[in-house]
Amino acid sequence: MSIRLAVLYGGRSSEHEVSRRSAASILTHLDRAAYQVTEVLIGRDGQWQVDGEPVTLPAALAVLADQDVVFPALHGPYGEDGSVQSMLEWLGVRYVGNGVFAGAAGMDKAVTKKLLSAAGLRVAAGVTLGPGEFLSRADQRRLGLPVFVKPARAGSSIGVSRVDEWWQLPTALLLARGADPKVLVERAVPGREVDVAVLEHPDGRVEAGPPLEITVPPTSAFFDYSAKYDGGAVFQIPAELDPATTRLVQDRAIRAFHALGCRGLLRVDLFLPGPEPGPGPGPAQGPATGDGADGGDRNGNGPNGSGADGDGDGDGWVGDPAEPVVNEVNTFPGFTSASQFPRIWAQAGIAFPDLLDILIAGARGTVPAS
C-alpha cells in the first residue's frame, strides 16, 4: 500500500518562490509508486490550495491530518521557524524534518549563535540590534570593517548587505529591517566558505556528507540571493580539503545538529579562517544611527564569539585560531536542482529519490527496505 504523503509548500514569507522551487524538485523526484501524493499550497496571501483547488483553512487542516506523513517544503518565517511544525504537532500527524524548537531556534540567528557558542562551537563576532537600536561607536571600533548586516530571522540572504564604510550602515540597517526588525551586525570572516550537510537516518545514525566549497562570481560581493538561485556560484564537491580538515568540519556540523536539537536534516555553513586582517577603521565622524525604518563572509556573517543582546561579546574565541567558524545553519535547506543539500548527498552516493525516502522513513519511524 502506498504512503499518503502531503507536500506542503509556498507560505507567506519572502522565500515563497524558493519554497515553490524546492517543492517542484521534491515532487519531480518522489516515487509515485510508493507515495500517494497530495500537494498543499499556502499562497502569499495566506490562502490555501489542495491539488490546485482553493480550500478553507479547516478543509486544508483536515487533508493534512489524514496523511501518513507531511513533507513541509517551506522556507523562512511562517514555515521553517516552527510555526507550521507546531500546527502539525497539534494535528498529530508525522512530518519530515526538524521539530518546533529546532526550527524556531535555527531560524533566529542570534539564538542559534548563543546555543552553538554554549556548546563550545566558534561563531561570528557581532551585535544583535532590536527595533530602534543602533550600533554604538564602541561596537564599531570592536568589529571594524567590513561588516555584514542581516535580518535575524530571514534566509536566502534576503536583506543582507556588506558594509565597507560606516556611512553605509544606515542604508544596510534599513534593508535588513525591511525583512525583520531584529538585525545582526557581524564582522566579516576572511577565509574559505564550506557547507556541510547533516542527515539523520531512520535507524538514528547521524551522518555528515562531503564538504562543499562555494566560490561566488566576481559580480557578487557575497553569496547573495542571485548567486544562490540565478546561477553563477560554483560548488566544489568534495571541497579540496585535507582529510583532517574534512573530519573537523564534519564533526562541527554534527555537533551543531545536536546543539540545536535537530532531527532529520541540517545544513551547516562554516568558514575556514584565513589570515586575520589588521584592525578595521573606527567609527565614522558623526553618529551612524538613523536607519530610516553561506573578501569575507559571503552568506553575510563573520568570526569569533557570539553576538548577543546588543552588546556583543568581544572577540570571545580563545582557542585554536584555525578553528572553523560556524556561519549559519539551515533547518530546511533548499531542495531545488541548484541547492547544496541534495547535491552533497548525490556526491556521497545518495540519489535525490533515495534522499527523500530516507527523510520520509525517518519521519515515519521506519527503516526502508534495503
Side-chain angles (χ1 to χ4, degrees):
M1 178 181 291
S2 59
I3 296 166
R4 294 168 299 170
L5 175 74
V7 178
L8 177 60
Y9 65 100
R12 296 167 54 201
S13 82
S14 57
E15 297 181 77
H16 176 94
E17 193 57 40
V18 179
S19 172
R20 295 183 75 124
R21 295 188 194 182
S22 287
S25 290
I26 292 166
L27 291 164
T28 296
H29 290 94
L30 283 170
D31 180 356
R32 297 308 175 104
Y35 304 108
Q36 179 184 330
V37 179
T38 300
E39 297 184 33
V40 181
L41 170 67
I42 306 173
R44 293 181 186 272
D45 58 359
Q47 299 301 304
W48 293 65
Q49 294 182 21
V50 174
D51 289 334
E53 295 296 325
V55 297
T56 63
L57 175 58
L61 295 182
V63 169
L64 293 174
D66 194 43
Q67 304 301 311
D68 295 314
V69 183
V70 174
F71 200 128
L74 293 158
H75 301 293
Y78 312 110
E80 190 180 349
D81 61 354
S83 300
V84 163
Q85 289 75 12
S86 63
M87 178 192 73
L88 296 173
E89 296 276 0
W90 177 73
L91 291 173
V93 63
R94 297 179 180 184
Y95 57 92
V96 168
N98 286 286
V100 176
F101 175 80
M107 191 74 230
D108 190 317
K109 297 175 179 65
V111 173
T112 298
K113 291 176 67 174
K114 289 182 179 181
L115 293 171
L116 297 180
S117 183
L121 293 165
R122 187 181 184 185
V123 295
V127 176
T128 304
L129 302 176
E133 294 181 341
F134 309 107
L135 193 66
S136 70
R137 292 193 178 192
D139 281 325
Q140 289 182 37
R141 285 191 293 269
R142 178 174 65 85
L143 295 176
L145 289 169
V147 296
F148 281 87
V149 180
K150 60 204 302 187
R153 295 165 294 200
S156 294
S157 296
I158 291 169
V160 176
S161 57
R162 173 178 167 132
V163 170
D164 292 293
E165 301 290 343
W166 288 119
W167 63 263
Q168 299 170 323
L169 182 61
T171 300
L173 289 171
L174 178 65
L175 178 65
R177 284 179 168 146
D180 185 5
K182 184 177 181 181
V183 171
L184 275 70
V185 181
E186 297 184 327
R187 181 189 302 153
V189 179
R192 300 169 66 183
E193 181 173 5
V194 297
D195 290 353
V196 179
V198 181
L199 178 65
E200 183 177 22
H201 292 267
D203 61 5
R205 289 179 296 118
V206 177
E207 181 183 10
L212 171 154
E213 184 166 10
I214 300 168
T215 303
V216 299
T219 53
S220 297
F222 59 98
F223 191 36
D224 58 10
Y225 186 96
S226 177
K228 288 180 178 181
Y229 300 110
D230 297 334
V234 176
F235 298 152
Q236 174 70 40
I237 319 172
E240 294 184 357
L241 305 173
D242 61 74
T245 303
T246 295
R247 290 191 298 269
L248 179 65
V249 294
Q250 290 174 323
D251 172 80
R252 299 307 186 258
I254 291 173
R255 284 175 57 184
F257 181 94
H258 291 303
L260 296 174
C262 293
R263 72 182 188 205
L265 73 166
L266 185 71
R267 197 191 74 226
V268 182
D269 307 337
L270 308 100
F271 281 91
L272 300 176
E276 289 291 337
Q285 296 301 310
T289 54
D291 68 344
D294 296 279
D297 174 339
R298 304 182 190 93
N299 266 329
N301 239 12
N304 318 359
S306 157
D309 300 333
D311 62 351
D313 69 345
D315 238 358
W317 185 257
V318 294
D320 184 348
E323 172 71 21
V325 178
V326 179
N327 177 21
E328 292 186 0
V329 302
N330 198 316
T331 55
F332 186 73
F335 267 73
T336 72
S337 58
S339 298
Q340 298 100 298
F341 194 89
R343 291 178 65 175
I344 288 170
W345 289 111
Q347 178 67 32
I350 300 177
F352 206 136
D354 297 326
L355 178 62
L356 299 176
D357 289 344
I358 290 169
L359 291 168
I360 294 166
R364 299 183 69 219
T366 58
V367 178
S370 58

